[in-house]
Amino acid sequence: MLKHRGFPGRLPGTDFQFTIRRANPRGVTPIVARDRYRDRRPADRRADEIFLAALWEHFGDQPFERGNLDAGRLSWLFGREVIAAQDPFDPTSYEALLRIDVDVARRSFPEVFGGESA
């Protein structure tokens, strides 16, 4: 499992995890697209924003390996701002390649890209 050095481990001051320390011995947690509803807590939305900003800062628009990125946090963005960068895509692989869909990410989180909030 690739460890993304320099990537923040969590959202400071919270328990929102961005990376994992070691591979799960009981099997890889799959990445699944989770529904985000408008009534999500502000802290949850902020965690998504900071996580996407960290992804953008580290990888930009280039494909990146899932590695030690937290499946739960990726799942909140998967299928929208973060998409599969390979076909076929294995959601249960630490080597799976992902990428940021920049157009969707700019619309969802304009502040990450220096834009105004909608």
Side-chain angles (χ1 to χ4, degrees):
M1 173 179 67
L2 174 67
K3 293 197 176 190
H4 297 291
R5 302 286 179 210
F7 199 89
R10 64 182 53 246
L11 180 62
T14 71
D15 286 333
F16 291 114
Q17 183 172 307
F18 291 170
T19 61
I20 58 175
R21 292 183 184 174
R22 64 189 70 81
N24 186 343
R26 290 174 281 149
V28 181
T29 302
I31 300 172
V32 296
R34 291 184 178 170
D35 291 328
R36 288 194 317 242
Y37 298 103
R38 290 194 173 276
D39 64 349
R40 287 182 73 212
R41 296 179 321 158
D44 292 322
R45 289 190 301 250
R46 183 78 177 139
D48 291 343
E49 179 185 333
I50 299 297
F51 184 66
L52 181 62
L55 290 173
W56 180 248
E57 180 179 321
H58 278 76
F59 308 114
D61 62 354
Q62 298 302 305
F64 58 91
E65 193 171 312
R66 171 188 176 176
N68 70 329
L69 298 175
D70 182 64
R73 186 55 46 201
L74 279 169
S75 291
W76 286 111
L77 302 176
F78 187 70
R80 291 174 298 271
E81 296 84 12
V82 175
I83 57 175
Q86 65 188 108
D87 188 27
F89 176 74
D90 182 1
T92 60
S93 171
Y94 290 122
E95 290 81 31
L97 292 178
L98 302 162
R99 70 175 180 83
I100 295 173
D101 185 329
V102 179
D103 293 333
V104 173
R106 281 186 197 277
R107 286 193 303 274
S108 300
F109 298 97
E111 50 283 338
V112 169
F113 301 91
E116 300 278 327
S117 292

